[in-house]
Amino acid sequence: MRRFDPIATLRHAILVGTAMVAVAGCRDSDPTVAAVVADTPITTAALSDAYARLVLRAGLPGGDAAVRDRVLESLIHRQLVIQEAWDGGIRETPEYREEEARVRRKLLIDYYVERVVFDTLRVTDEELRDLFLRANTVYEARHLRAGSLAEAQALRRRLLAGETFEALAREVFADPTLARNGGFLGEFGHDEMDPAFEMAAFTTPVGQISEPVRTAQGWSVLRVESRATRPLLTETEFQTRRDPLLRYERRRQRTEARFQFSRRVRDEVAPRFHEAALDRLAALAAGGTLAADAAETWYRTPLVTFTSQQGGRRTWTVADVEAQAQLAGDEARAAVQDEASLREFIEGLVVREELVARAKARGYERAPRYEQTLAEALAEWVFDQAQRLLRERFAPSEDTLRAHFAAHRDNYLTPERVRVHEILVATRAEAAALKAQVEAGADFSSRSSAFAALARARSLRPGSAAAGGDLGYVDRAALGMLAEPVFAARPGAVVGPLEVAGRYVVLLRGNTQDPRPMTFAEARDQVAEDLDLTYAQARLAEHVGRLRSRYRVEVRPEAVRRVRLIS
């Protein structure tokens, strides 16, 4: 197997990935081909799409043939890099094969859902007119957020039993404003909230408690305080806004239909967990350990059993689930925080496996559009990988980095940092109780000792037992959403409870470390990033020029001139 050894390219930073249809042996007279790189054509449709995207996203004036020609050059550069990567054997690498497996599954599921679910959706005139009314309606509402349907139902029962939004908001919200104001959202209008939330606000009678509403952020229970629709809406206004309303409603319908379809498939395959194995896996995910001599047996342990339309009753072991999890996205894996989210994640893996099986049973793997979309997605991945390696290859030398650092020392300072100690627990109530114990200390020393002891005993964070919850000195970027309350607190203050991905933290705020000049070692990555574009661009352009002499590049002016320039 040849080693993948890509050469360089110059990529326009504002150009997004663009579809190119690879058709071997295209005719010289083909009016749909704008250029050919080696044996791969760049179609006029691809050029038109890339040009339109660039004009719209960059805010450029339309109708400019020079911009169109620059876009074509960037597409040629892109294909040159992809061609070199192909010739260098990237398709034989383990990384490519892993990406191909992941993309095949994702696109096959998308293709199946497109035909089985989306092709049946229709937006009626009545639905558009209802949406037009919603688009001219403003609301005032308050809500409570939950991580699951069961939690949302429990909150609704408590509200109906007489508990108040004000009391419950203090339990469920990490956001201090929502916690203090009873989940009051103020006034909002169309497309300012999740579409499902907005629909509930439009249909729930004012003053009543809604049923649980699933949103992109989880689940909500809401009460509409007021609702007002602008009077004197005209047919002319409706027709003017019809197209954007239609696009919005199609997106909303697709999102909801996909979710409901996934739930139906889940119910059909009926996953049943082996609870002892699930409990143990959840404990390991939370930072537990597994003895080396028990690992082999553990990975063979049955974890979930389900029914497939194609294969009957099946059982996945822990090893099977881990293999399936590698094909899921990083975001989905990162969302697993506790046993409930782990259960939901594994159910999602089971559903995806079933959708893949159903798509294959229909022969969708052989559909021309699926194959084309797969080729485009893999070409984009190849380009991204090649570009990353090329940038590393043409990185500035160490002497260049040091010279730039010496000439611009004032630009490189460490950010302000604070010493932070953390306890991570499963519930807000537990976090509040721990906070109260720490705050009973009379001074910082006693609070710090109590905090460390509690962190060793109670924190879910791996490593807390050894470090006593000490995270060291951290800057705002490292703290993310926690930065504002931590940096605003005084040294010695206990901050929290604050929600972090379904769990809760209590933080002890220590001393402040003021900004100071960085050493070269500390600043090196930032210096390299600062020099990346300015230093690498000329070198990369030279290599693209050499590539053009290596591969056949043919531009077809007549076809290019026929590409429509949007105005």
Side-chain angles (χ1 to χ4, degrees), residues 338-403:
D338 52 26
E339 185 169 321
S341 57
L342 176 62
R343 186 186 297 268
E344 186 173 348
F345 173 70
I346 296 173
E347 287 178 345
L349 297 178
V350 169
V351 168
R352 284 191 283 275
E353 175 73 3
E354 177 64 13
L355 294 180
V356 168
R358 294 184 185 185
K360 288 180 178 179
R362 292 186 176 217
Y364 286 160
E365 274 189 307
R366 299 182 296 277
R369 183 178 166 191
Y370 166 76
E371 293 177 346
Q372 175 184 323
T373 305
L374 175 65
E376 292 166 0
L378 291 174
E380 186 65 20
W381 180 85
V382 168
F383 178 67
D384 288 341
Q385 294 299 304
Q387 180 176 245
R388 177 181 60 80
L389 293 173
L390 292 168
R391 296 185 89 88
E392 293 174 359
R393 178 178 173 182
F394 294 111
S397 68
E398 197 74 7
D399 288 344
T400 301
L401 296 177
R402 289 184 179 276

Side-chain angles (χ1 to χ4, degrees), residues 54-329:
L54 178 59
V55 166
L56 294 173
R57 294 194 178 196
L60 299 175
D64 191 335
V67 172
R68 175 203 60 201
D69 293 344
R70 290 200 297 274
V71 169
L72 179 58
E73 281 299 294
S74 71
L75 294 179
I76 290 171
H77 294 168
R78 176 183 182 276
Q79 188 57 36
L80 284 168
V81 174
I82 293 172
Q83 188 66 47
E84 168 63 0
W86 286 342
D87 289 349
I90 193 173
R91 284 181 285 201
E92 304 304 319
T93 64
E95 293 81 8
Y96 180 90
R97 290 171 176 168
E98 180 179 327
E99 179 67 11
E100 182 181 21
R102 188 190 68 80
V103 173
R104 277 186 180 278
R105 288 174 61 86
K106 178 184 181 303
L107 294 182
L108 196 55
I109 291 169
D110 290 345
Y111 193 86
Y112 179 82
V113 171
E114 180 82 27
R115 274 140 194 80
V116 174
V117 181
F118 294 166
D119 281 356
T120 66
L121 299 178
R122 298 291 182 272
V123 180
T124 66
D125 189 71
E126 182 180 358
E127 287 170 330
L128 277 185
R129 290 181 183 278
D130 285 344
L131 179 57
F132 181 55
L133 290 178
R134 297 210 313 272
N136 288 277
T137 300
V138 293
Y139 314 84
E140 286 188 340
R142 60 181 73 242
H143 82 125
L144 300 173
R145 184 173 297 147
S148 67
L149 174 59
E151 291 176 11
Q153 290 170 332
L155 288 172
R156 184 172 188 271
R157 287 194 296 269
R158 292 173 67 181
L159 288 169
L160 293 174
E163 295 189 60
T164 66
F165 274 86
E166 288 75 11
L168 295 178
R170 290 192 287 271
E171 289 185 21
V172 302
F173 285 116
D175 184 308
T177 301
L178 290 172
R180 286 194 303 267
N181 70 11
F184 184 63
L185 297 169
E187 185 177 274
F188 61 91
H190 175 61
D191 209 14
E192 293 182 31
M193 294 290 177
D194 181 276
F197 190 98
E198 180 186 323
M199 177 67 82
F202 185 71
T203 56
T204 302
V206 174
Q208 292 189 17
I209 308 299
S210 75
E211 294 289 339
V213 180
R214 178 189 170 273
T215 71
Q217 294 75 41
W219 293 85
S220 284
V221 177
L222 64 100
R223 184 178 71 200
V224 178
E225 306 293 322
S226 68
R227 181 170 54 229
T229 301
R230 183 167 65 86
L232 303 178
L233 298 174
T234 67
E235 181 67 19
T236 300
E237 287 180 277
F238 171 67
Q239 295 300 334
T240 299
R241 298 189 62 183
R242 185 183 185 93
D243 286 346
L245 290 173
L246 180 60
R247 289 194 294 272
Y248 174 91
E249 182 61 15
R250 281 175 175 163
R251 284 198 311 273
R252 188 200 68 78
Q253 282 193 6
R254 287 183 167 215
T255 300
E256 180 62 20
R258 184 162 190 154
F259 172 75
Q260 295 299 340
F261 179 69
S262 296
R263 292 288 173 175
R264 288 199 301 273
V265 173
R266 182 201 62 186
D267 293 343
E268 290 167 7
V269 299
R272 294 292 181 267
F273 287 93
H274 301 258
E275 295 297 338
L278 183 68
D279 291 344
R280 189 177 187 190
L281 183 59
L284 291 171
T289 58
L290 181 68
D293 58 357
E296 184 176 350
T297 301
W298 164 243
Y299 286 113
R300 293 198 305 267
T301 302
L303 182 57
V304 61
T305 300
F306 59 96
T307 301
S308 170
Q309 286 188 354
Q310 277 65 46
R313 200 68 176 161
R314 298 178 56 189
T315 295
W316 279 353
T317 65
V318 172
D320 293 328
V321 169
E322 288 204 357
Q324 293 288 331
Q326 295 306 309
L327 298 173

